[in-house]
Amino acid sequence: MGPSHQLSRQVDLSSHPRRVEASGKTVLPGFIDSHTHLAFAGTREMEFELRLQGATYQEIAAKGGGIKSTVQKTRQAGKEELFAIGKRRLDQMLSLGTTTVEAKSGYGLSVEGEIKMLEVLRDLDRAHPADVVPTFMGAHEIPPEYAGRKDDYVRLVIEEMIPAVAEKKLAVFCDVFCEEGVFSPEDSRRILEAGRRYGLEVKIHADELTSLGGAELAAEIGAASADHLLFASEKGMERMAARGVVATLLPGTAFFLFLGRYAPARKMMERGVTVALASDFNPGSCMTQSLPLITTLACTQMRMTPAEAILGITLHAARALKKEEDIGSLEPGKQADIVILDIPDYRHLSYHFGINHVWKVVKKGRVVWENPSLP
Ligand SMILES: [Zn+2]
């Protein structure tokens, strides 16, 4: 990002003999959604309605809702069905300016189920203009057949799932839901260390609902990112800054769950933590793929500036995916992933919210999407 006089009035697509006239538009790096649960089957609008009427998560889970209902539907879905669902969602993301999407498994929760999800993500990456970065997240929840036997499930993740995923080269990252009632910091450490032994980079869902030491753990094991962090401790933030762990904040989730609390973005930035923003797109706690909307929430609820929010969905998100050498900013040597917006100034992305300003999307130097309603 820079003042427009430093940018060419035209976007030069050097590897292709064409130019896009972009006068009066705003040109930004393609957006990067560095935390999503893209490949789920079924949706949970009933649960949304129940939550609005005051039902708690536990009551919803007791009625067969929550992550487990998505696990059931995703286990039942065939690969073709999951691919078709994923493709449609990636199309929607591309139309909102997203050119790279991190996507997690974690609704299979069995060796076959997790492999199925990751194979769908691989196929989507091959077939779709957007890049899909796959994350193995077998430790997303304890499946019903392991109820009361968490240690056995952790063993399955470590001894069977991770080796199988690594052997098939189906994931770049290994992630874990470190939370009270799910996986403890000790479980998380064991799972992530196993992932690393098999060549996976690590991420962690940390300190979302309680302060459990997730930020400290992320720093200790040198995670690429720690995500959520609503309850991150001072010490955790300082250690993340010292270790260069990116904080991936997901204000859409806090908003959609009406938690009445957001991650302390300003405190993190004051302590030198790199702050990325992502959608957390999933059917239970954040049903949106719109990164522009996430920037508006980051500005209004976490007091980030519009420029900081744009960094959060571009360069800092690239860092959270360890891809800042290739994407996340517009500079020579990087991939030409570009979003051209029909707005007079970058601040309008967050300021004029709730509509799609994307005019054209360029991926690897090629126009891959054009807004039919903005000629
Ligand atoms: Zn998540």
Side-chain angles (χ1 to χ4, degrees), residues 35 37 104 205 228 280:
H35 182 141
H37 300 261
K104 303 173 198 298
H205 281 60
H228 285 293
D280 194 21

Side-chain angles (χ1 to χ4, degrees), residues 33-154:
D33 200 340
S34 60
H35 182 141
T36 85
H37 300 261
L38 175 77
F40 57 88
T43 49
R44 285 160 39 196
E45 60 280 10
M46 289 286 290
E47 238 173 74
F48 174 54
E49 205 168 34
L50 288 170
R51 285 198 292 111
L52 295 173
Q53 291 160 358
T56 65
Y57 185 83
Q58 287 79 0
E59 287 163 355
I60 289 166
K63 289 182 185 171
I67 290 180
K68 285 174 182 134
S69 76
T70 301
V71 169
Q72 194 188 5
K73 292 197 172 106
T74 306
R75 281 178 170 180
Q76 283 163 0
K79 277 175 73 174
E80 298 73 28
E81 184 187 346
L82 280 182
F83 179 89
I85 293 169
K87 182 185 174 300
R88 184 174 148 78
R89 291 180 184 148
L90 284 175
D91 287 345
Q92 290 166 333
M93 288 165 141
L94 197 67
S95 78
L96 291 159
T98 303
T99 50
T100 300
V101 180
E102 184 266 4
K104 303 173 198 298
S105 67
Y107 295 118
L109 308 185
S110 65
V111 177
E112 319 75 64
E114 291 294 300
I115 299 269
K116 177 178 78 176
M117 282 190 79
L118 289 167
E119 285 177 347
V120 168
L121 295 174
R122 175 200 58 199
D123 295 347
L124 286 168
D125 178 53
R126 287 176 183 164
H128 200 274
D131 283 326
V132 178
V133 179
T135 295
F136 164 68
M137 197 178 177
H140 191 198
E141 176 59 286
I142 297 145
E145 62 275 18
Y146 280 85
R149 296 193 293 133
K150 188 189 70 178
D151 290 348
D152 290 345
Y153 185 66
V154 170

Side-chain angles (χ1 to χ4, degrees), residues 95-343:
S95 78
L96 291 159
T98 303
T99 50
T100 300
V101 180
E102 184 266 4
K104 303 173 198 298
S105 67
Y107 295 118
L109 308 185
S110 65
V111 177
E112 319 75 64
E114 291 294 300
I115 299 269
K116 177 178 78 176
M117 282 190 79
L118 289 167
E119 285 177 347
V120 168
L121 295 174
R122 175 200 58 199
D123 295 347
L124 286 168
D125 178 53
R126 287 176 183 164
H128 200 274
D131 283 326
V132 178
V133 179
T135 295
F136 164 68
M137 197 178 177
H140 191 198
E141 176 59 286
I142 297 145
E145 62 275 18
Y146 280 85
R149 296 193 293 133
K150 188 189 70 178
D151 290 348
D152 290 345
Y153 185 66
V154 170
R155 206 168 305 126
L156 178 77
V157 171
I158 291 174
E159 293 176 7
E160 295 188 39
M161 289 186 191
I162 289 173
V165 166
E167 195 206 336
K168 289 174 182 282
K169 296 191 175 12
L170 285 172
V172 174
F173 290 96
C174 180
D175 196 344
V176 52
F177 191 14
C178 179
E179 187 57 64
E180 227 165 70
V182 198
F183 299 95
S184 68
E186 199 37 52
D187 299 330
S188 304
R189 179 202 310 277
R190 285 176 53 212
I191 292 165
L192 295 175
E193 282 175 352
R196 180 160 283 157
R197 279 199 300 278
Y198 280 90
L200 301 174
E201 298 282 353
V202 304
K203 287 181 169 289
I204 177 165
H205 281 60
D207 300 324
E208 179 184 3
L209 305 168
T210 49
S211 189
L212 211 60
E216 288 88 336
L217 176 61
E220 192 195 319
I221 60 180
S225 72
D227 301 28
H228 285 293
L229 298 171
L230 274 70
F231 290 85
S233 70
E234 294 278 338
K235 199 169 63 182
M237 291 184 233
E238 277 161 19
R239 290 188 185 167
M240 282 176 61
R243 201 60 207 273
V245 179
V246 175
T248 298
L249 307 185
L250 311 165
T253 310
F255 172 74
F256 197 66
L257 291 178
F258 27 98
L259 295 177
R261 175 177 185 135
Y262 288 82
R266 293 239 67 85
K267 263 191 188 173
M268 290 177 184
M269 288 186 281
E270 281 160 19
R271 282 157 185 73
V273 179
T274 298
V275 172
L277 295 167
S279 70
D280 194 21
F281 175 51
N282 79 82
S285 61
C286 196
M287 190 65 180
T288 186
Q289 297 120 295
S290 174
L291 287 175
L293 176 61
I294 296 299
T295 70
T296 298
L297 294 173
C299 294
T300 58
Q301 308 303 309
M302 304 195 299
R303 301 293 190 272
M304 289 174 72
T305 66
E308 288 165 345
I310 289 170
L311 274 173
I313 59 167
T314 54
L315 189 60
H316 292 176
R319 206 165 288 164
L321 296 182
K322 298 207 163 234
K323 285 175 82 73
E324 72 263 39
E325 305 282 309
D326 300 324
I327 54 173
S329 57
L330 300 177
E331 47 189 315
K334 284 199 180 183
Q335 210 163 281
D337 290 3
I338 300 165
V339 54
I340 309 172
L341 300 139
D342 188 31
I343 48 177

Side-chain angles (χ1 to χ4, degrees), residues 7-29:
L7 286 168
S8 165
R9 278 271 158 212
Q10 294 179 311
V11 182
D12 184 6
L13 306 172
S14 47
S15 60
H16 291 263
R18 68 172 292 202
R19 294 167 87 83
V20 175
E21 174 57 44
S23 301
K25 309 277 196 266
T26 295
V27 179
L28 292 176

